[in-house]
DNA sequence: TACATTGTTCCGTC
DNA sequence: CGACGGAACAATGT
């Protein structure tokens, strides 16, 4: 699943492939992914998504790629930008012209002959045309500080996480801290030795210090290990699981040997080690 | 077949 | 009324 590190890697890839190149053709193969706002609802699709993207990007260059939390944006050299959310299966790939791309939704053909594709099998992702001078606002709206770019001191993290909800649920709340999803929330909690079911407000100072240190550590570790090529997600066939607890129910904890447990919190699977996350 | 997965939204409860 | 939990919704591969 694309969370902060995967979106950051996607942004780095787009900077290599896209920045400075001119867009010579725009193909919208699924008009429903072009939306007015962050949403999965078909009713929020732009009326003429193809026309909108072509008007914004034909003949334009991408001058910048930005990221906040799990959101990214392509900033054009004209008046327009494109906000992107990868949803649960979105990714960007580059291919030679004429190469078919399964689940390709938007195709940007460049002046070097490459085609940069937004690919999204599950179609929970979207692209949102916006004015360039609104892109920073749109990127940050409703989000807490970016978990990697703005690492929080322990006391700041504690303040942002003041809720009776479980700490794992609070960590995934993008309004409190932007970037953690299911995988990196449970991995950071495992690294910090904190039980994901604990009430967030009940953590002590040492536990906040541990989390403040382990969250950026988890994200940076993932960046270092996922490389800078095309993204492959853990749920895809043939991709092995690089994580300590995520999707490892019943397997021995690599730190203490106890069996990894699973519980559902707010409708999402949580994995943790009952032995060393007391 | 039912399930898993995301962010958003809505509804009921306290 | 704010906080919170839970469920629904979108789509589709396994």
């Amino acid at each position: 699943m694309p969370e902060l590190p995967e979106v950051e890697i996607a942004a780095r890839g787009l900077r290599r492939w896209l920045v400075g190149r001119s867009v010579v053709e725009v193909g919208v193969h699924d008009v429903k992914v072009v939306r007015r706002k962050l949403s999965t609802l078909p009713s929020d699709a732009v009326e003429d998504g193809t026309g909108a993207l072509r008007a914004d990007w034909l003949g334009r260059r991408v001058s910048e790629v930005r990221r906040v939390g799990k959101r990214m944006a392509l900033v054009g050299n004209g008046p327009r930008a494109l906000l992107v959310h990868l949803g649960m299966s979105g990714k960007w790939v580059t291919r030679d012209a004429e190469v078919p791309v399964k689940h390709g939704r938007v195709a940007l053909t460049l002046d070097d002959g490459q085609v940069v594709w937004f690919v999204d099998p599950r179609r929970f992702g979207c692209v949102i045309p916006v004015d360039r001078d609104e892109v920073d606002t749109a990127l940050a709206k409703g989000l807490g500080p970016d978990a990697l770019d703005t690492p929080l001191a322990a006391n700041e993290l504690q303040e942002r996480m003041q809720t009776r909800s479980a700490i794992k649920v609070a960590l995934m709340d993008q309004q409190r801290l932007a970037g953690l999803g299911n995988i990196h929330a449970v991995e950071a909690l495992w690294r910090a030795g904190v039980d994901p079911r604990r009430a967030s407000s009940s953590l002590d100072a040492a536990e906040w210090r541990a989390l403040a240190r382990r969250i950026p550590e988890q994200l940076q570790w993932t960046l270092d290990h996922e490389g800078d090529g095309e993204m492959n997600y853990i749920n895809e066939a043939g991709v092995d699981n690089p994580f300590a607890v995520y999707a490892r129910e019943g397997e021995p904890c690599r730190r203490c040997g106890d069996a990894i447990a699973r519980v559902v919190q707010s409708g999402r699977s949580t994995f943790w080690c009952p032995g060393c996350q007391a």
Side-chain angles (χ1 to χ4, degrees):
Chain A
M1 261 63 62
E3 302 177 26
L4 187 154
E6 294 77 18
V7 179
E8 174 62 22
I9 288 165
R12 291 176 185 178
L14 287 185
R15 286 178 194 126
R16 282 204 314 278
W17 302 334
L18 223 47
V19 168
R21 299 252 72 101
S22 185
V23 177
V24 300
E25 184 57 270
V26 176
V28 177
H29 298 250
D30 175 11
V31 291
K32 287 203 288 293
V33 309
V34 186
R35 299 213 173 87
R36 294 190 300 267
K37 57 177 185 175
L38 272 175
S39 164
T40 55
L41 301 176
S43 55
D44 288 320
V46 170
E47 271 193 45
D48 178 13
T50 307
L53 288 195
R54 292 176 63 88
D56 285 359
W57 292 98
L58 273 183
R60 296 292 183 181
R61 293 176 191 276
V62 176
S63 51
E64 212 178 331
V65 180
R66 299 182 192 164
R67 180 196 63 76
V68 177
K70 306 186 200 180
R71 302 176 188 168
M72 61 194 303
L74 317 187
V75 181
N77 66 342
R80 300 287 280 169
L82 191 68
L83 187 65
V84 180
H85 198 290
L86 300 179
M88 66 177 284
S89 64
K91 61 171 77 173
W92 288 92
V93 305
T94 184
R95 294 285 184 273
D96 291 331
E98 313 298 322
V99 174
V101 173
K102 197 174 186 184
H103 302 126
R105 308 300 180 192
V106 175
L108 303 175
T109 302
L110 307 178
D111 57 356
D112 63 357
Q114 287 294 110
V115 184
V116 172
W117 286 86
F118 177 63
V119 180
D120 186 17
R122 287 291 188 274
R123 303 212 280 177
F124 287 2
C126 57
V127 301
I128 305 165
V130 295
D131 280 334
R132 191 176 63 171
D133 55 15
E134 288 167 5
V135 70
D136 286 325
T137 310
L139 271 171
K141 187 181 179 189
L143 297 185
D146 185 88
L148 187 68
D149 293 347
T150 318
L152 292 179
N155 63 323
E156 297 172 311
L157 185 65
Q158 176 176 14
E159 284 165 22
R160 295 210 66 91
M161 296 293 159
Q162 281 306 304
T163 169
R164 298 186 296 278
S165 304
I167 179 61
K168 187 262 194 168
V169 175
L171 287 177
M172 289 178 60
D173 182 345
Q174 304 300 300
Q175 296 198 33
R176 299 178 188 277
L177 184 67
L180 297 187
N182 206 21
I183 295 175
H184 297 301
V186 303
E187 292 295 307
L189 284 163
W190 178 81
R191 285 175 186 254
V194 173
D195 186 330
R197 302 166 301 171
R198 293 268 303 284
S200 186
S201 312
S202 76
L203 270 59
D204 66 25
E207 290 168 328
W208 289 119
R209 283 196 299 275
L211 273 176
R213 176 188 178 91
R214 300 307 175 185
I215 290 167
E217 178 187 84
Q218 166 63 27
L219 299 174
Q220 188 61 52
W221 178 89
T222 306
L223 281 177
D224 294 341
H225 285 76
E226 282 183 335
D228 59 356
E230 225 168 74
M231 192 65 52
N232 288 304
Y233 298 130
I234 182 176
N235 49 317
E236 298 178 72
V239 176
D240 52 41
N241 181 357
F243 302 115
V245 290
Y246 180 79
R248 293 197 184 280
E249 183 181 11
E251 296 180 33
C253 173
R254 64 174 67 158
R255 190 162 54 202
C256 77
D258 275 19
I260 302 301
R262 174 182 178 269
V263 68
V264 174
Q265 296 179 287
S266 297
R268 262 67 166 170
S269 290
T270 296
F271 301 89
W272 89 105
C273 171
C276 53
Q277 291 175 266

